[in-house]
Amino acid sequence: MENTLTLEQMFEMQKVLDARIIKEKGLEGVDLLPNTILALQVEIGELANEWRGFKHWSKNQKPRTRAVRSLGVDDIGVERGEAYNPLLEEYVDCLHFFLSIARQLNLPADDLYIPDDVAELKTVVLFTEILHNVGMIIGGEFLVGGYERFKDEQRHFFRGALACFYSLGEQRLGFSFEQITEAYAAKNKVNHDRQSNGY
Ligand SMILES: [Mg+2]
């Protein structure tokens, strides 16, 4: 598909969204990394919740990939709805925060390209590996060896988390890169609209 966005383009779109939020919410100079790390962990939890495969107590362990979102009632009194894929939407919510963290760590776009050749980890293990590695990005400040060491550690854990995240998306959840970029662009627009509407 010739219109498919690249990772660099999504990274640029994320920078624009982040800059807008920082400006409109008066957050210049505030260290937003701890909030963003927690936000990513929450979204990974939401993604796992839609995947459902770890719910051994439930009869329904199939991923939730089809749902209808209410759009309210239109001018002629008809209830409107929109079909969407909850699993894919949570996946790109995670991608938003991955890209935001990359920006906050000043990583170059090249660092977003990682082979998704994570060894044969079970899906449930991929999820916990992502959460673990994302959590370690914040833990870096307790390491000895000065700031440069700290930055290297953060980059290491970021890339570890991202490798697992790509594997999860493309190999386990079955998303194509085109599906991911399309859903990212759609959610990026929703997030801009939310800022415009005083979210
Ligand atoms: Mg979400």
Side-chain angles (χ1 to χ4, degrees):
M1 201 191 294
E2 60 191 47
N3 293 327
T4 301
L5 293 170
T6 62
L7 278 168
E8 273 111 322
Q9 285 170 322
M10 290 191 288
F11 195 25
E12 288 310 309
M13 289 166 74
Q14 188 64 43
K15 288 177 183 174
V16 171
L17 177 62
D18 284 2
R20 177 176 181 186
I21 292 169
I22 289 166
K23 181 157 182 277
E24 293 183 5
K25 296 279 192 269
L27 295 168
E28 290 91 350
V30 180
D31 176 12
L32 301 174
L33 188 61
N35 283 358
T36 315
I37 288 172
L38 178 58
L40 175 53
Q41 289 177 316
V42 169
E43 292 298 343
I44 294 161
E46 291 181 0
L47 179 64
N49 225 21
E50 300 297 359
W51 168 58
R52 302 191 62 82
F54 66 102
K55 302 188 183 212
H56 57 85
W57 54 87
S58 172
K59 279 187 200 158
N60 180 6
Q61 293 180 41
K62 293 262 179 297
R64 212 164 70 97
T65 55
R66 296 167 78 125
V68 177
R69 179 168 25 227
S70 171
L71 296 176
V73 175
D74 70 12
D75 0 324
I76 55 163
V78 177
E79 173 92 38
R80 296 287 174 193
E82 169 188 53
Y84 75 108
N85 179 340
L87 188 71
L88 180 58
E89 189 159 309
E90 297 303 348
Y91 189 82
V92 299
D93 281 350
C94 295
L95 183 57
H96 271 76
F97 290 121
F98 266 112
L99 294 173
S100 184
I101 290 171
R103 175 190 65 75
Q104 293 175 59
L105 297 179
N106 287 317
L107 300 180
D110 278 357
D111 273 7
L112 300 172
Y113 289 88
I114 302 170
D116 57 351
D117 58 355
V118 178
E120 287 299 300
L121 294 176
K122 288 185 173 177
T123 306
V124 68
V125 178
L126 276 177
F127 270 107
T128 55
E129 275 296 303
I130 296 167
L131 284 166
H132 170 71
N133 278 279
V134 169
M136 290 301 283
I137 297 170
I138 207 165
E141 64 193 284
F142 301 110
L143 293 166
V144 290
Y147 187 61
E148 284 309 311
R149 169 80 195 287
F150 169 38
K151 285 201 301 189
D152 284 352
E153 295 286 342
Q154 284 182 310
R155 177 173 178 269
H156 167 76
F157 289 118
F158 175 85
R159 284 171 55 86
L162 195 57
C164 292
F165 181 69
Y166 289 159
S167 277
L168 180 68
E170 295 186 25
Q171 296 171 23
R172 300 309 158 83
L173 306 181
F175 299 139
S176 67
F177 189 70
E178 288 72 20
Q179 268 181 304
I180 294 167
T181 58
E182 222 172 80
Y184 175 83
K187 191 61 185 272
N188 184 278
K189 183 180 178 306
V190 167
N191 286 331
H192 273 289
D193 292 346
R194 284 175 172 173
Q195 290 302 311
S196 305
N197 299 323
Y199 186 71

